[in-house]
């Protein structure tokens, strides 16, 4: 479903699989480490399949990019900029694995 549509909401996935939205969020938080999926929360949230458009960064690269972008956070009102900062922040908070740019909260 996600691969076919490109973007689906949590509610759509919950209905499709007959589970709660909480189950979808929990499961997607787990599988996003291994599949090209980006999660966006809020009014226009949902999950986006990124296909081959993913990049894996090592922890040092992620830390550098996060610091670089955080220092410039006041210079822009671009939503995508802040979504990327959030992706990096979440990736750095999870010390279990090397971060992928397909992670976010």
């Amino acid at each position: 479903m996600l691969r076919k549509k490109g973007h689906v909401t949590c509610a759509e996935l919950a209905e499709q699989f007959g589970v709660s939205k909480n189950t979808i969020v929990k499961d997607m938080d787990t599988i996003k480490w291994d599949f090209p999926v980006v999660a966006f929360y809020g009014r226009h949230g949902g999950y986006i399949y990124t296909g081959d458009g993913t990049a894996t960064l090592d922890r040092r690269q992620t830390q550098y990019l996060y610091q670089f972008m955080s220092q410039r956070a006041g210079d822009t009102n671009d939503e995508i900029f802040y979504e990327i900062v959030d992706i990096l922040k979440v990736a750095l908070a999870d010390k279990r694995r090397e971060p992928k740019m397909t992670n976010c909260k």
Side-chain angles (χ1 to χ4, degrees):
M1 175 187 217
L2 183 58
R3 195 176 282 184
K4 183 178 178 182
K5 289 181 73 177
H7 174 271
V8 295
T9 66
C10 185
E12 289 174 309
L13 288 172
E15 183 178 329
Q16 173 75 27
F17 294 105
V19 297
S20 71
K21 290 185 212 177
N22 288 339
T23 299
I24 294 297
V25 171
K26 181 180 167 189
D27 290 350
M28 293 301 281
D29 281 344
T30 300
I31 69 167
K32 70 184 178 186
W33 293 104
D34 299 313
F35 294 97
V37 175
V38 176
F40 293 96
Y41 297 91
R43 188 174 60 170
H44 301 290
Y47 298 95
I48 297 172
Y49 177 73
T50 59
D52 294 332
T54 63
T56 301
L57 304 176
D58 65 31
R59 189 154 307 280
R60 182 185 56 83
Q61 293 166 327
T62 305
Q63 181 68 41
Y64 177 85
L65 188 56
Y66 176 74
Q67 289 175 344
F68 179 84
M69 292 183 73
S70 293
Q71 291 171 356
R72 286 148 184 82
D75 299 338
T76 183
N77 291 326
D78 187 344
E79 283 185 38
I80 294 173
F81 180 92
Y82 290 102
E83 290 170 358
I84 293 170
V85 170
D86 287 344
I87 290 169
L88 296 169
K89 183 178 180 181
V90 170
L92 288 169
D94 190 329
K95 296 175 177 45
R96 295 173 296 169
R97 301 175 189 231
E98 289 300 315
K100 287 185 182 179
M101 286 299 293
T102 56
N103 304 330
C104 73
K105 275 201 175 214

